[in-house]
Amino acid sequence: MPVIQQLKEDIAAAMKAGERERVATLRLVLSELQKAEKDGETDEVAVLRRERKRRYEAAAAYREAGRDELALAEEAEAELIEGYLPAELSEAELAEIVSGAVSETGADGPADMGAVMKAAMARVDGRADGARVSAVAREILAG
């Protein structure tokens, strides 16, 4: 089932249950997904990751300002969004994918990082963010 359809069903269920915070968060995420779809962006996972990242950044800013109650609310929203993301790859699975990308591209050093990243990100399919993939690729190419 597409994420947008799942969100609509979850919003209806949350409204019936009287979960105001959950409804507000889900509506905001649904709006972002619909806006991205209208703009021609078809990668729902990228939109969900971006929204989750925004929540964690906001939580960090609130904590820095001494507003722990607002930080906790942002973190709760981020965790709710995580429920709609595909399961993250384990470190072993990610290392296997990156190793395969290194073999496929014939990379033999850090200078080939771009080609490795391109091949690895295509295989990862949204189950790991670029920073994790980059760190593993750097480690494999360095040693």
Side-chain angles (χ1 to χ4, degrees):
M1 172 182 314
V3 175
I4 289 178
Q5 185 61 35
Q6 182 65 49
L7 280 168
K8 287 178 181 178
E9 291 177 11
D10 290 350
I11 288 170
M15 287 174 74
K16 288 178 184 174
E19 300 171 324
R20 291 182 182 173
E21 294 85 14
R22 183 175 172 85
V23 169
T25 300
L26 293 177
R27 280 183 172 162
L28 186 75
V29 172
L30 177 62
S31 172
E32 289 296 321
L33 283 167
Q34 289 172 333
K35 186 169 64 172
E37 187 177 67
K38 182 180 172 188
D39 292 341
E41 185 178 345
T42 58
D43 189 0
E44 293 176 334
V45 173
V47 174
L48 291 171
R49 284 186 189 282
R50 182 174 60 235
E51 289 303 310
R52 179 186 62 179
K53 182 179 178 185
R54 285 181 182 164
R55 298 311 183 290
Y56 281 131
E57 288 172 350
Y62 283 134
R63 284 207 193 289
E64 207 171 282
R67 303 290 309 265
D68 288 339
E69 69 283 353
L70 294 174
L72 289 173
E74 291 291 334
E75 289 169 346
E77 287 183 11
E79 290 171 8
L80 179 62
I81 293 168
E82 281 179 12
Y84 294 92
L85 287 167
E88 292 280 321
L89 290 171
S90 70
E91 290 301 316
E93 292 170 321
L94 184 57
E96 184 178 320
I97 288 172
V98 173
S99 293
V102 168
S103 299
E104 175 187 307
T105 59
D108 61 356
D112 300 317
M113 182 74 161
V116 171
M117 284 296 294
K118 183 177 179 182
M121 289 304 288
R123 291 180 180 175
V124 165
D125 195 33
R127 295 176 293 153
D129 68 352
R132 281 184 64 208
V133 176
S134 177
V136 172
R138 231 182 263 113
E139 183 180 310
I140 290 173
L141 290 172

